[in-house]
Amino acid sequence: MQGIDFVQHLNSEQFAAVQAPDGPLLVLAAAGTGKTRTLVYRVAYLVERGINPDRILLLTFTNRAANEMLDRARVLVGPGISGVWGGTFHHMSNRILRRHAPALGFNHDFTILDRDDSKTLVSNCVKDLDLASKEFPKSDVLLGIFSAAANTGSSVQKIAGERFRDSDIDPDKIAHVHDRYTNHKNKLGAMDFDDLLSNCLKLFREKTEVLARYQEQFLHVLVDEYQDTNAIQAELVDRIVAKNRNVLVVGDDFQSIYSWRGADFRNIMSFPKRYIDARIYKLETNYRSVPEILEVANACIAGNPEQYQKTLRAVRQGHRKPTVLRMRDGGEQARSVVEQIRNMCRSGYRMSDISILYRAHYHAMELQMELTREKIPYIITSGVRFFEQAHIKDVCSILRVLENPADEMAFSRLLGFLPGIGPRSVQKLWSGLGGKFDASDAVQRAKLKSIMKPGSRAAWDAIEPVLAAYRDEHLDEDGGEVIYRFVDTFYGRHAANVFDDPDRRLDDIRELILYTSKFATVQEFLSDIALLTNLDAEVENFKTDEQNAVRLSTVHQAKGLEWPVVMILWMSEGMFPSARSMEESDSGEAEERRLFYVAVTRAKDELCMCVPELRRTRDGGVMYYTPSRFIDEIPRNLINEVRTGFI
């Protein structure tokens, strides 16, 4: 327990934060500056000072992070560290509620509902209220609304109203489901994941004697990734530390990118106002990236007005400037990235050293196609490739039905969208049609409608005109128009009711529509994606392990990770930054710039940013794009600009 040489193991910035005096402390840890190391040594320093470990609370966003920190602290100070309370906010709340649940009307052994349990319970509530139909939002969607309301402090009606503002879904009905769901949970003596936080906060607000116990117990509270806390989490911390006021929060306002899931940027920005005697420490010495990459990162984030000013300083030796690749379109971008991957591998990098980052999933569609054709193995962080996604299969099913009357699987998928039709009903309908359905034949369509249940016909009426136009308007030469009409008349509403992220999925579908313009007929398009899907399977077979594959990831999913080589796709205005994010929020530009900063700082050695100049439109025209404002803001002397030679 004696003799840790903090000076030897820490740089001067880390040392100052680790040995800071008691009281409120804000540690602003920029990317790659040793945030985890600083927290680990702070815990070790407190224990070495004689603080009883069970009077230390370490809050993180994953249990894995907490365990890693405590394991490293144990190496420094010995097994006594095991008394530290370490874990997520939910983990802490669960421990406290297990002791005091009766104060809120629950038993000590209350049940925690997992996601499947919650979905089942919500589905039962919908049925009890006689709201069950394929037009009413599914349980995943409802749970997403309930969670958003809980984590932002908003009402269910408000969140539902915003979500379904272009729909005839009644927010009050969703609120009724929520009320019934809450009552059912109480009767069962159960809590869901969000209840752990909200009930712990309720306990602290209403039972002052309970709060006083933990204010006394926790002499020191440390919080990781403070910029990602929501309103409930911030209040939990504020209440626990109100007596002793020994709170150290570590975070980086430059990397606050999760407002869409409830994280409140204001928590870290207002910390010095809530704790007027707070000391602020900055970690700016970066151990991850070469100086040329950090110069770009510093330049890009400087454009945000409301932030703590920090400047990343490199420890590593100079390498080479990041590259900005200017090219014609997404197809050329895909071919250029493949060539860059090969060049990097020839230079000695492994496939696993390379990551391709993008603002939205659909930005990588053409690249996935090209990687598959070139048999370059790749892994997507979501685990699902473009044409394997449910919504892509959904909209392709109408094309498959139109092109192949014997495609029973596509028929089942398409008819399964309709209210009142389940797997057994589909089988009866298929048998009633004689095992064949010519969707472009009016007689066949009339026969199908005649044997449908009355409750299914209204939804079918929205789809049938799309089928009727297929031959009449020669839409067999324009699959994108078929999908567009299908989404416009039916599937757009269906997606909003079924998926928790309908906007993202509809973006994917719009990209698919553009992709179909490359083919003269629907048959050619369907043949191409079938071949690509089979090639995907072959590439997967070539891959012996994940070490042999390029990583594809959205920037959000890449936070906290790093790679020697990073390439960023679609650095074009309206794509990155996202036009939708800019329109939907007054702070959209600031968060988009932080997102770009996160993308840049994932790179250790090489950084390449791709700037396509145009995209095809659904009607065969082109849409011209200017470079992203984030590219334009980088001083020209900090980058190498190259125009690719592909045509």
Side-chain angles (χ1 to χ4, degrees), residues 398 401-402 405 437-442 444-445 460 464 467-468 470:
I398 193 169
V401 165
L402 285 161
F437 175 59
D438 186 348
S440 61
D441 184 334
Q444 281 270 285
R445 293 197 305 273
W460 180 251
E464 188 173 5
L467 304 177
Y470 192 62

Side-chain angles (χ1 to χ4, degrees), residues 549-608:
V550 174
R551 175 75 63 173
L552 272 61
S553 174
T554 63
V555 182
H556 282 107
Q557 291 170 316
K559 184 175 177 292
L561 304 176
E562 60 184 47
W563 295 272
V565 180
V566 168
M567 291 179 244
I568 309 174
L569 303 183
W570 277 110
M571 289 305 309
S572 305
E573 192 69 13
M575 301 288 275
F576 198 166
S578 160
R580 179 183 291 116
S581 294
M582 302 280 281
E583 292 168 0
E584 291 181 350
S585 170
D586 292 338
S587 60
E589 179 178 348
E591 182 149 334
E592 289 291 305
R593 187 175 280 105
R594 294 194 293 267
L595 196 59
F596 178 54
Y597 173 87
V598 168
V600 168
T601 54
R602 300 311 93 199
K604 296 165 69 175
D605 305 337
E606 310 280 353
L607 174 64
C608 177

Side-chain angles (χ1 to χ4, degrees), residues 71-340:
D71 285 346
R72 289 169 60 177
R74 189 175 293 110
V75 171
L76 293 174
V77 299
I81 202 75
S82 59
V84 171
W85 275 49
T88 65
F89 282 89
H90 294 86
H91 176 77
M92 174 203 72
S93 298
N94 181 50
R95 285 186 70 174
I96 292 172
L97 288 169
R98 289 294 174 191
R99 292 177 174 178
H100 307 286
L104 295 179
F106 290 87
N107 293 327
H108 292 291
D109 60 348
F110 64 85
T111 299
I112 299 176
L113 301 176
D114 62 22
R115 184 72 177 185
D116 285 341
D117 292 334
S118 295
K119 285 170 63 176
T120 299
L121 191 55
V122 168
S123 294
N124 291 339
C125 292
V126 171
K127 292 175 184 175
D128 292 345
L129 293 169
D130 199 25
L131 295 172
S133 72
K134 291 191 176 178
E135 288 83 9
F136 196 74
K138 299 299 177 281
S139 54
D140 270 333
V141 176
L142 295 171
L143 284 169
I145 291 170
F146 301 164
S147 182
N151 289 313
T152 61
S154 298
S155 69
V156 169
Q157 285 97 330
K158 182 175 183 293
I159 299 294
E162 292 171 352
R163 170 65 185 273
F164 295 108
R165 59 182 174 271
D166 298 323
S167 168
D168 56 1
I169 300 295
D170 185 351
D172 288 339
K173 291 182 178 179
I174 293 177
H176 292 157
V177 175
H178 179 255
D179 290 343
R180 193 171 188 88
Y181 174 59
T182 301
N183 291 335
H184 271 337
K185 285 186 296 181
N186 291 338
K187 288 179 182 177
L188 292 170
M191 301 185 199
D192 64 19
F193 201 57
D194 293 313
D195 291 330
L196 294 175
L197 295 187
S198 56
N199 281 338
C200 187
L201 182 56
K202 182 180 180 182
L203 182 72
F204 284 172
R205 285 174 174 174
E206 297 178 0
K207 308 297 178 182
T208 55
E209 70 281 5
V210 174
L211 174 60
R213 169 177 173 173
Y214 292 98
Q215 288 176 334
E216 179 65 30
Q217 175 177 344
F218 295 127
L219 183 59
H220 286 271
V221 176
L222 297 83
V223 186
D224 189 20
E225 302 284 10
Y226 190 69
Q227 79 282 349
D228 293 336
T229 54
N230 61 31
I232 294 177
Q233 292 162 335
E235 187 177 343
L236 282 169
V237 172
D238 288 346
R239 286 181 178 272
I240 291 172
V241 305
K243 178 182 179 181
N244 294 309
R245 303 186 77 255
N246 296 323
V247 55
L248 182 150
V249 300
V250 180
D252 183 7
D253 54 303
F254 288 3
Q255 298 185 72
S256 179
I257 60 173
Y258 295 118
S259 63
W260 50 276
R261 69 182 189 195
D264 194 336
F265 177 69
R266 293 171 297 183
N267 291 340
I268 192 168
M269 298 308 299
S270 66
F271 188 86
K273 296 177 183 176
R274 302 197 323 273
Y275 298 89
I276 57 175
D277 56 338
R279 293 179 172 88
I280 299 178
Y281 298 86
K282 295 182 181 180
L283 307 184
E284 299 174 290
T285 303
N286 178 282
Y287 294 90
R288 176 186 300 159
S289 306
V290 296
E292 293 84 356
I293 289 173
L294 297 186
E295 287 178 341
V296 170
N298 289 329
C300 80
I301 200 62
N304 270 1
E306 186 184 359
Q307 60 187 20
Y308 298 106
Q309 296 305 323
K310 299 182 290 297
T311 301
L312 288 169
R313 296 187 299 271
V315 169
R316 297 182 57 192
Q317 294 296 311
H319 183 51
R320 62 167 151 243
K321 296 177 182 179
T323 300
V324 170
L325 279 181
R326 295 181 181 270
M327 65 271 296
R328 177 176 170 79
D329 57 19
E332 188 173 310
Q333 175 179 248
R335 294 190 293 273
S336 297
V337 169
V338 166
E339 186 60 29
Q340 290 290 321

Side-chain angles (χ1 to χ4, degrees), residues 39 42-43 46 56-59 220-224 248-249:
L39 275 170
R42 178 66 177 182
V43 172
L46 293 174
I56 299 172
L57 173 63
L58 172 62
L59 292 169
H220 286 271
V221 176
L222 297 83
V223 186
D224 189 20
L248 182 150
V249 300

Side-chain angles (χ1 to χ4, degrees), residues 514-562:
L514 295 179
Y515 183 69
T516 64
S517 66
K518 298 181 179 182
F519 302 93
T521 66
V522 169
Q523 189 176 64
E524 286 183 19
F525 165 71
L526 292 174
S527 296
D528 186 73
I529 63 172
L531 289 171
L532 286 172
T533 304
N534 287 323
L535 279 173
D536 268 340
E538 289 182 23
V539 173
E540 284 292 307
N541 290 334
F542 292 153
K543 186 173 60 184
T544 55
D545 57 54
E546 292 194 0
Q547 299 304 311
N548 189 37
V550 174
R551 175 75 63 173
L552 272 61
S553 174
T554 63
V555 182
H556 282 107
Q557 291 170 316
K559 184 175 177 292
L561 304 176
E562 60 184 47

Side-chain angles (χ1 to χ4, degrees), residues 377-392:
Y378 65 95
I379 297 168
I380 301 175
T381 50
S382 67
V384 181
R385 299 182 180 222
F386 190 83
F387 285 107
E388 294 173 355
Q389 298 175 105
H391 53 290
I392 298 300

